[in-house]
Amino acid sequence: MLKSELGTTPRTDETPDLIRIEADVPDDLSETAHTRLLATLTSTNVRFGHDLTADKKSVFWVELDQREP
Protein backbone atom coordinates (compact mmCIF):
# COMPACT_ATOMS: atom_id res chain seq x y z
CA MET A 1 0.00 0.00 0.00
CA LEU A 2 2.70 2.53 0.96
CA LYS A 3 4.86 1.58 -2.01
CA SER A 4 2.00 1.76 -4.49
CA GLU A 5 0.73 5.13 -3.25
CA LEU A 6 4.07 6.79 -2.50
CA GLY A 7 6.24 5.18 -5.14
CA THR A 8 9.05 4.67 -2.62
CA THR A 9 10.42 1.52 -1.02
CA PRO A 10 9.19 1.01 2.56
CA ARG A 11 11.51 0.08 5.44
CA THR A 12 10.41 -2.46 8.05
CA ASP A 13 11.44 -2.82 11.70
CA GLU A 14 10.08 -5.81 13.60
CA THR A 15 10.04 -6.38 17.37
CA PRO A 16 8.22 -9.03 19.42
CA ASP A 17 5.40 -6.51 20.01
CA LEU A 18 4.99 -4.76 16.68
CA ILE A 19 5.98 -4.30 13.08
CA ARG A 20 6.71 -0.72 12.02
CA ILE A 21 6.72 0.16 8.34
CA GLU A 22 8.03 3.55 7.17
CA ALA A 23 8.18 5.10 3.73
CA ASP A 24 9.55 8.43 2.54
CA VAL A 25 6.95 10.80 1.13
CA PRO A 26 8.04 12.27 -2.20
CA ASP A 27 7.96 16.07 -2.50
CA ASP A 28 5.71 15.80 -5.54
CA LEU A 29 3.04 13.54 -3.95
CA SER A 30 -0.31 14.56 -5.40
CA GLU A 31 -3.20 15.60 -3.21
CA THR A 32 -5.20 12.72 -4.71
CA ALA A 33 -2.59 10.12 -3.71
CA HIS A 34 -2.29 11.66 -0.24
CA THR A 35 -6.07 11.58 0.26
CA ARG A 36 -6.33 8.00 -1.05
CA LEU A 37 -3.56 6.83 1.31
CA LEU A 38 -5.20 8.47 4.33
CA ALA A 39 -8.60 7.01 3.38
CA THR A 40 -7.07 3.54 3.17
CA LEU A 41 -5.24 3.87 6.50
CA THR A 42 -8.25 5.25 8.38
CA SER A 43 -10.34 2.28 7.21
CA THR A 44 -7.97 -0.18 8.94
CA ASN A 45 -7.28 -1.04 12.56
CA VAL A 46 -3.62 0.06 12.62
CA ARG A 47 -1.71 2.95 14.14
CA PHE A 48 -0.28 5.29 11.56
CA GLY A 49 1.22 8.72 11.30
CA HIS A 50 3.18 11.23 9.32
CA ASP A 51 6.47 12.57 10.70
CA LEU A 52 9.04 15.14 9.66
CA THR A 53 12.56 13.88 10.38
CA ALA A 54 15.44 15.98 11.72
CA ASP A 55 16.75 16.39 8.19
CA LYS A 56 13.32 17.64 7.02
CA LYS A 57 12.24 14.46 5.23
CA SER A 58 8.55 13.60 5.31
CA VAL A 59 7.79 9.99 6.35
CA PHE A 60 4.54 8.03 6.61
CA TRP A 61 4.57 5.16 9.12
CA VAL A 62 2.27 2.27 10.04
CA GLU A 63 2.48 0.05 13.13
CA LEU A 64 0.96 -3.43 13.30
CA ASP A 65 0.50 -4.95 16.76
CA GLN A 66 1.89 -8.49 17.03
CA ARG A 67 0.76 -9.15 20.61
CA GLU A 68 -2.03 -11.63 21.13
CA PRO A 69 -5.42 -9.98 21.64
Side-chain angles (χ1 to χ4, degrees):
M1 166 186 48
L2 289 175
K3 184 174 184 174
S4 65
E5 290 297 338
L6 299 175
T8 60
T9 302
R11 299 172 297 283
T12 304
D13 183 27
E14 189 169 343
T15 69
D17 293 334
L18 63 89
I19 299 171
R20 183 178 174 103
I21 304 165
E22 297 181 347
D24 296 331
V25 179
D27 293 334
D28 61 349
L29 182 67
S30 72
E31 188 67 29
T32 301
H34 185 260
T35 301
R36 193 170 41 237
L37 179 59
L38 288 177
T40 301
L41 290 171
T42 57
S43 70
T44 63
N45 189 24
V46 298
R47 289 181 302 277
F48 67 92
H50 184 199
D51 292 334
L52 191 60
T53 65
D55 58 352
K56 306 292 186 209
K57 290 185 180 179
S58 185
V59 175
F60 263 119
W61 57 268
V62 176
E63 289 181 344
L64 308 167
D65 196 345
Q66 294 202 102
R67 294 173 291 194
E68 291 188 35

